[in-house]
Amino acid sequence: MNEHCEAESPDHSSDNSSDNSSGNDRMKVIPGWDEELESAFSVYQSSYLAGRVASRHKTVCEILIPGAVVQAGISGALQRIGKQPVVGDFVVLLDQPETGSRMVVNILPRRTCLSRGATGDGGGEQVIAANLDTIFIVTSVGKDLNLRRLERYLAIVYSSGASPVILLNKIDLADDPALLVEKIRGIAGDVPVIPLSALSKTGLDALSPYLNPGETVALIGSSGVGKSTLINSLLGETVQKTADIRKDDEKGRHTTTVRQMFLLPNGAVLIDNPGIREIQLGDSAEGLEKAFSEIVDAAHNCKFKDCTHRDEPGCAVLQAVKDGLIPEERLESYHRLADELSFQSKKSEMGLKRLEKEKYREIAVTSKKYRKFTGKP
Ligand SMILES: Nc1nc2c(ncn2[C@@H]2O[C@H](COP(=O)(O)OP(=O)(O)OP(=O)(O)O)[C@@H](O)[C@H]2O)c(=O)[nH]1
Ligand SMILES: [Mg+2]
Ligand SMILES: [Zn+2]
């Protein structure tokens, strides 16, 4: 799991008293709340509340607390250390009824967290959502179906710590959905591949093993694959807007713009996401290995420990490709993603160096100003 999943040490702790609701209440009404969170929260005084981020806007979060959904800002202290609450986070709120203000002051330890490599040359990662048990990677029949993209999603999901499930949506539009499922299974390893139609509500029963009380499932995928349609179908009401895809290239219109949490009547949590335009690997090295486990398995027999499986003698992976045991496209895909990963980490190192340089420049300017002001050398 990546560094962004690290927990904060509580900075507003005090004695062992807790807020007005009991741990039992929290377990009942904050979906996903458990003993571990209860113990992390137990150090907070009664002026603090526990909650879960249901949606996140620029400066405000909507937070599910026992008995209500409330809005809260984000404390300056959290912002200064670069910790941003995301959808799915369990958080500590400072409640000030006299001023009517509520502020997120801490993020409780994340069990899992989904991030993507940030775009821009500063490197670094952007956390998308936290505390997910399962991630539905949604694709649809037609132009969206792309095995190479699915491999990338799998690597990212594996590195989040959540379990991936691939959904092939819009099977009502396919002549032979079983054939498409087979194609996907070829790259999916042990990951379940579920064909369904969100619109005509066929195949939805196969999702029930993942929709358990207190468990959190996020839907990710390109715009237009039917994530929001599926949320509406599972909830049995239209909670999310949906829109037609473009006729010419079958691309979606980025209808969903805010990441948001929905509760199923049984207490399972669904998170709808905006369609992903571009997703980078970030620090998914571990995820890459899991997504290409047959290559990692074969690599145990390579002659050299640091074999890159490109042209080394005694490479068991190249041999497996030669023998037809591993498809060539799989190895090519693995190389492409591994190259991207090392490029990303170089880029983020460079970004850090740049930041360091900027910091020194700032210090130099400040001390120059100081010298000018005081007249001291
Ligand atoms: N034929 C068919 N159309 C579907 C199905 N599921 C969704 N659609 C249609 O696909 C279009 C896009 O659906 P959305 O649910 O808005 O897609 P989305 O993934 O939420 O898209 P963004 O919010 O833009 O990321 C809509 O016109 C839906 O009616 C399906 O199972 N079959
Ligand atoms: Mg949507
Ligand atoms: Zn090798």
Side-chain angles (χ1 to χ4, degrees):
M1 211 177 305
N2 62 47
E3 58 182 302
H4 302 272
C5 290
E6 277 169 20
E8 276 311 297
S9 53
D11 54 350
H12 292 264
S13 54
S14 108
D15 57 52
N16 241 13
S17 54
S18 61
D19 74 1
N20 297 334
S21 3
S22 71
N24 268 345
D25 278 350
R26 279 186 287 274
M27 260 172 243
K28 264 187 249 150
V29 296
I30 306 177
W33 189 264
D34 62 12
E35 302 282 352
E36 247 169 75
L37 289 162
E38 190 55 40
S39 119
F41 183 66
S42 64
V43 296
Y44 287 88
Q45 275 182 304
S46 58
S47 46
Y48 293 93
L49 296 171
R52 191 165 190 197
V53 180
S55 74
R56 166 77 204 266
H57 305 270
K58 212 162 183 197
T59 52
V60 176
C61 297
E62 262 175 15
I63 305 201
L64 191 64
I65 60 170
V69 176
V70 297
Q71 294 208 330
I74 300 157
S75 80
L78 264 191
Q79 291 185 45
R80 272 194 296 282
I81 56 168
K83 288 276 168 186
Q84 293 287 346
V86 296
V87 172
D89 262 328
F90 295 98
V91 292
V92 180
L93 295 180
L94 178 59
D95 190 25
Q96 293 170 308
E98 60 286 0
T99 58
S101 112
R102 289 195 184 93
M103 198 70 86
V104 178
V105 295
N106 213 347
I107 302 169
L108 294 174
R110 289 171 174 160
R111 289 197 293 261
T112 66
C113 94
L114 177 68
S115 347
R116 65 165 158 217
T119 43
D121 65 0
E125 291 229 314
Q126 194 186 351
V127 180
I128 298 175
N131 302 308
L132 311 175
D133 297 288
T134 305
I135 296 178
F136 288 164
I137 301 169
V138 189
T139 183
S140 62
V141 310
K143 287 192 181 150
D144 186 72
L145 183 49
N146 177 326
L147 299 183
R148 307 286 82 89
R149 191 181 319 121
L150 285 176
E151 287 169 335
R152 174 184 296 264
Y153 275 127
L154 283 174
I156 290 162
V157 171
Y158 272 128
S159 103
S160 77
S163 306
V165 175
I166 297 175
L167 309 191
L168 174 64
N169 189 27
K170 307 194 188 181
I171 54 163
D172 53 299
L173 301 177
D175 293 333
D176 191 353
L179 193 73
L180 300 175
V181 170
E182 269 326 291
K183 247 175 80 176
I184 299 174
R185 289 216 166 107
I187 58 111
D190 297 334
V191 174
V193 181
I194 299 177
L196 50 86
S197 168
L199 198 62
S200 51
K201 300 193 171 91
T202 40
L204 304 195
D205 285 352
L207 304 181
S208 45
Y210 311 100
L211 303 172
N212 298 311
E215 287 190 9
T216 305
V217 181
L219 283 73
I220 62 169
S222 318
S223 174
V225 294
K227 300 177 295 296
S228 302
T229 308
L230 182 57
I231 298 258
N232 290 341
S233 290
L234 290 170
L235 281 155
E237 58 177 314
T238 306
V239 289
Q240 284 291 70
K241 246 199 341 207
T242 63
D244 280 356
I245 52 174
R246 302 194 304 222
K247 289 227 156 45
D248 47 350
D249 58 4
E250 295 185 14
K251 290 210 160 125
R253 299 171 194 274
H254 292 278
T255 312
T256 305
T257 52
V258 176
R259 194 160 288 122
Q260 205 174 334
M261 191 187 262
F262 297 94
L263 261 183
L264 280 177
N266 76 343
V269 176
L270 289 169
I271 296 176
D272 194 9
N273 280 291
I276 291 174
R277 288 168 205 266
E278 176 196 6
I279 190 151
Q280 292 180 348
L281 280 179
D283 56 6
S284 317
E286 197 189 322
L288 186 68
E289 310 273 278
K290 281 191 182 152
F292 289 85
S293 58
E294 82 277 36
I295 292 181
V296 175
D297 286 349
H300 288 134
N301 296 320
C302 291
K303 186 168 166 197
F304 301 110
K305 263 216 155 68
D306 58 351
C307 185
T308 63
H309 329 305
R310 288 176 203 266
D311 48 17
E312 291 90 340
C315 172
V317 175
L318 289 172
Q319 189 60 47
V321 171
K322 225 182 200 169
D323 296 343
L325 299 172
I326 294 175
E328 203 170 349
E329 307 88 274
R330 280 288 281 172
L331 183 57
E332 276 168 14
S333 197
Y334 176 79
H335 280 152
R336 207 171 23 247
L337 292 174
D339 287 348
E340 196 181 306
L341 205 59
S342 63
F343 174 71
Q344 285 293 330
S345 65
K346 268 193 210 124
K347 203 167 82 168
S348 90
E349 255 172 47
M350 275 166 58
L352 279 178
K353 279 194 190 131
R354 189 172 55 87
L355 283 179
E356 257 168 41
K357 260 193 206 157
E358 271 170 16
K359 204 160 129 196
Y360 282 121
R361 202 175 304 137
E362 210 174 281
I363 293 171
V365 169
T366 317
S367 50
K368 206 167 150 191
K369 274 187 194 153
Y370 174 77
R371 283 198 298 273
K372 217 167 151 188
F373 181 69
T374 58
K376 284 185 186 161

